[in-house]
Amino acid sequence: SIPIAKQLASIKALGKGSDLEKAFATVALVYNNNADPEGKLSRAETKSLLQTQFRRFIQGQENKPKYQEIISDLDEEPENKIDFEDFMMTLVMLTLMSDLLQEIKNVKNAK
């Protein structure tokens, strides 16, 4: 497996890309590296990927009803796979409810 940083560096269009472009490219690369040949993830793989690659955003969210709803959706209907669009929607929902998001917002105010 080629490291994400090396994969990013190989994308010529991102050579002078913005931080935001590189962030989204990183998400796409992580997703694609874990997706099946059809470009999808099983619900179990999605849950595992979130728990390993997004753990600081979901840490402490376990008791929130919306978090429980998102995770229980991943536990249901395991034969239904997640495409990139659904994965991104899940990431956005988890980010918006994260305690880490408030900490990130506070960094700007601390300047």
Side-chain angles (χ1 to χ4, degrees), residues 47-62 64 67 91 94-104:
K47 185 177 177 181
S48 176
L49 188 61
L50 291 171
Q51 290 170 333
T52 58
Q53 293 288 320
F54 214 59
R55 72 177 174 266
R56 288 184 177 79
F57 275 88
I58 61 176
Q59 187 174 7
Q61 307 307 304
E62 297 83 4
K64 291 183 179 178
Y67 174 82
L91 276 182
L94 291 171
T95 300
L96 290 173
M97 73 172 62
S98 175
D99 296 332
L100 184 55
L101 182 60
Q102 188 57 49
E103 191 175 325
I104 292 166

Side-chain angles (χ1 to χ4, degrees), residues 24-81:
F24 271 85
T26 299
V27 172
L29 286 169
V30 169
Y31 178 89
N32 288 336
N33 287 342
N34 289 278
D36 66 15
E38 295 175 352
K40 295 186 177 188
L41 291 175
S42 74
R43 290 178 175 276
E45 289 167 328
T46 301
K47 185 177 177 181
S48 176
L49 188 61
L50 291 171
Q51 290 170 333
T52 58
Q53 293 288 320
F54 214 59
R55 72 177 174 266
R56 288 184 177 79
F57 275 88
I58 61 176
Q59 187 174 7
Q61 307 307 304
E62 297 83 4
N63 295 325
K64 291 183 179 178
K66 186 65 179 171
Y67 174 82
Q68 292 173 351
E69 179 185 326
I70 291 167
I71 294 303
S72 69
D73 283 349
L74 293 176
D75 289 334
E76 294 174 10
E77 303 177 45
E79 68 280 356
N80 289 348
K81 294 191 174 189

